[in-house]
Amino acid sequence: MVSIEIDAFTRVEGNGGAEIIIEDGEVKEVRVKIFEGPRFFEILTLGRHYYDVPDLEARICAICYLSHSVASVLGIERAFGVEVPKEIMLLRELGLIGEFIESHALHLYLLVAPDLFGYADAIRMASKHGEVVNEGLTIKAFGNYIREVIGGREIHGINVKPGGFGRYPSIEELEKIEKNSEALIKFAKRAVGIFASQEPFGAKAEHYIATNDYLYGNKLIACDKESFDYFEHIEEKSLPYSFAKQSRYKDKIFMVGSLPRVMLKAEKLTPLAKRLFEEYKERLSKGYVSLNNLAQAIELVYGLERASEIAKELLDKGVEGENISVEPQEGEGIGYVEAPRGVLVHHYRIDEKGNIAYSNIITPTAFNHALMELSLYEEAKRHYGTLDEKTLIQKLEETVRAFDPCISCSVHLVKL
């Protein structure tokens, strides 16, 4: 028995690797080892007052801090039975869209595109394809602008609050978002054509899970049409070689992320994004995890279109900028949000004084961990013996990148 070690995945967020176990010349097992240091955010929130928790949860990730902030706020508000007006939900949605735009642009243009164009990194790729890299950086910068307006700053913002916001956007900021969104759609549309050319690889995702609205929801949905709370059908387990847990839906491996979203919720896409989805629907329906890249490109178009729609709606009706009063009480609530990489869960129980008594956070990369292992196993079986080890490892890393993993996010409380 021998093994091939990937010491550290490259061009992904966080620290992780893999071990491919070979026995009698055949691939027997693949272990995705997430060895990023344990981060105890569930424990850190225990006993804290609810109002401080979203700001703390924003520290989980620099890339998707708004997803954590909004999921945290939704969980807290549902525990207290608080409903905020449409204006506040639209602004939260706009922040999540900014995060989609920034994160998808980073992943597609800077981390995946070098594989398509045959370069080791985006810097060397820019020497011959500078226009592609520049378009990606322009879209990414715009996503960061939206995040700064809604979240308070580009990284680890603290503007999203239970009941509303610390600060509301100005008319000038909303006008800028509407104008720039429309101007950048042509770049995102071109990205769809680029990533549609990528050959499928990885495992086929047989089961998809997403929230019941496009960017958030009060339930999860699956490809079998069931609507449910996560604890009803999703089971987590710890692994001896990973600080991230692994999940099953009704004992089956599943996928979250852009591909599940467009396949389960295509009717909620914006007009141009929906047309592009219909154009590539047959290709996407094959379910290979690499098609997540194409789905992300379609979501770039969706994000830019939807950002323009929201900004226009808010400008037409006016932004009043009034928070809803939140009174602490004993309760339990779950916040479901679509982070760029897929379903994010924040689950709290809160005591009568408004302090957190129970906390559980499940991130998209933890949900995708089992499918990531299966995808590497299938790719290793497909290529072992026909490629040299260096080229094989490159193929396996491309497969990992298709998930756009956020490894730091995936590591939380583990019990030893």
Side-chain angles (χ1 to χ4, degrees):
M1 187 174 74
V2 297
S3 65
I4 299 172
E5 291 279 351
I6 302 177
D7 294 328
F9 298 132
T10 57
R11 279 188 269 142
V12 299
E13 195 285 328
N15 298 311
E19 181 183 16
I20 299 90
I21 298 168
I22 315 293
E23 191 173 330
D24 297 327
E26 290 188 9
V27 178
K28 292 295 182 183
E29 185 183 359
V30 172
R31 297 172 180 171
V32 172
K33 299 179 176 182
I34 293 178
F35 44 75
E36 182 102 16
R39 307 170 74 218
F40 304 103
F41 278 90
E42 289 96 338
I43 295 296
L44 291 172
T45 58
L46 293 183
R48 286 183 179 266
H49 194 259
Y50 77 90
Y51 194 80
D52 300 329
V53 170
D55 294 348
L56 179 63
E57 308 289 36
R59 295 330 194 256
I60 292 174
C61 184
I63 297 173
C64 44
Y65 84 83
L66 265 169
S67 296
H68 285 285
S69 296
V70 173
S72 180
V73 162
L74 289 177
I76 291 165
E77 289 174 349
R78 285 169 186 159
F80 296 157
V82 172
E83 288 192 23
V84 298
K86 183 180 179 182
E87 173 194 69
I88 290 174
M89 291 307 297
L90 283 173
L91 286 169
R92 289 173 180 174
E93 184 183 354
L94 184 59
L96 293 173
I97 284 170
E99 200 154 82
F100 264 52
I101 293 169
E102 189 277 336
S103 181
H104 285 3
L106 168 65
H107 178 240
L108 292 174
Y109 288 94
L110 303 184
L111 307 183
V112 176
D115 294 329
L116 270 70
F117 288 89
Y119 291 87
D121 52 58
I123 295 173
R124 274 170 275 200
M125 175 183 147
S127 63
K128 291 287 182 67
H129 302 279
E131 76 288 351
V132 175
V133 175
N134 283 333
E135 287 176 9
L137 291 173
T138 302
I139 295 173
K140 181 180 180 299
F142 177 61
N144 268 334
Y145 174 74
I146 296 176
R147 297 204 308 165
E148 185 175 1
V149 168
I150 302 300
R153 53 192 178 201
E154 292 181 8
I155 296 172
H156 300 323
I158 54 173
N159 193 45
V160 180
K161 305 294 185 185
F165 294 91
R167 170 195 178 273
Y168 283 79
S170 66
I171 291 173
E172 291 75 20
E173 287 167 334
L174 290 173
E175 287 175 340
K176 183 175 179 179
I177 288 171
E178 182 186 14
K179 179 182 176 181
N180 288 353
S181 295
E182 294 171 354
L184 293 174
I185 285 174
K186 61 181 182 293
F187 293 165
K189 186 179 177 182
R190 190 147 55 228
V192 174
I194 291 171
F195 291 97
S197 67
Q198 190 173 33
E199 289 299 315
F201 53 84
K204 286 186 177 183
E206 302 290 342
H207 301 277
Y208 298 138
I209 288 178
T211 58
N212 60 350
D213 208 342
Y214 204 85
L215 290 182
Y216 53 85
N218 55 14
K219 293 285 184 180
L220 299 181
I221 56 172
C223 47
D224 60 9
K225 307 301 181 185
E226 180 150 6
S227 176
F228 61 97
D229 277 311
Y230 80 95
F231 53 81
E232 294 177 298
H233 297 306
I234 294 177
E235 203 170 296
E236 294 182 277
K237 67 175 183 179
S238 297
L239 301 168
Y241 52 84
S242 172
F243 282 128
K245 296 176 184 176
Q246 202 173 88
S247 302
R248 296 287 193 280
Y249 169 69
K250 297 180 179 179
D251 294 325
K252 299 179 178 71
I253 294 174
F254 64 94
M255 183 179 187
V256 299
S258 294
L259 182 58
R261 281 193 292 263
V262 299
M263 295 305 295
L264 291 177
K265 300 184 281 193
E267 76 282 355
K268 297 181 184 293
L269 291 171
T270 47
L272 178 55
K274 189 179 291 185
R275 289 200 297 274
L276 290 166
F277 169 78
E278 291 297 334
E279 182 178 347
Y280 295 106
K281 182 177 179 180
E282 185 177 350
R283 184 176 182 82
L284 290 163
S285 65
K286 293 178 181 178
Y288 291 102
V289 298
S290 62
L291 294 166
N292 196 54
N293 295 325
L294 173 57
Q296 279 196 353
I298 292 171
E299 284 193 329
L300 269 183
V301 176
Y302 163 80
L304 291 165
E305 282 189 293
R306 184 66 184 138
S308 179
E309 289 176 356
I310 292 173
K312 186 178 188 306
E313 183 174 349
L314 290 169
L315 286 166
D316 288 345
K317 72 186 291 291
V319 179
E320 295 180 3
E322 291 185 10
N323 288 359
I324 297 299
S325 176
V326 177
E327 296 296 330
Q329 58 180 311
E330 187 175 358
E332 182 173 0
I334 304 172
Y336 294 118
V337 160
E338 290 283 358
R341 291 151 185 82
V343 173
L344 170 66
V345 176
H346 279 243
H347 183 182
Y348 304 114
R349 295 190 192 108
I350 305 176
D351 66 23
E352 66 279 0
K353 295 180 180 179
N355 297 323
I356 303 298
Y358 168 85
S359 173
N360 187 33
I361 301 168
I362 313 176
T363 63
T365 299
F367 280 141
N368 279 333
H369 190 220
L371 186 61
M372 203 180 300
E373 286 190 336
L374 178 61
S375 293
L376 290 183
Y377 173 76
E378 301 225 347
E379 283 298 299
K381 280 187 69 174
R382 189 173 295 131
H383 296 293
Y384 181 72
T386 63
L387 299 176
D388 61 82
E389 187 171 312
K390 181 181 178 181
T391 308
L392 173 62
I393 288 175
Q394 288 174 345
K395 286 283 185 186
L396 297 180
E397 289 203 74
E398 285 181 32
T399 305
V400 170
R401 279 194 282 276
F403 287 93
D404 189 14
C406 191
I407 292 172
S408 296
C409 274
S410 69
V411 178
H412 291 280
L413 176 64
V414 290
K415 293 183 179 180
L416 301 179

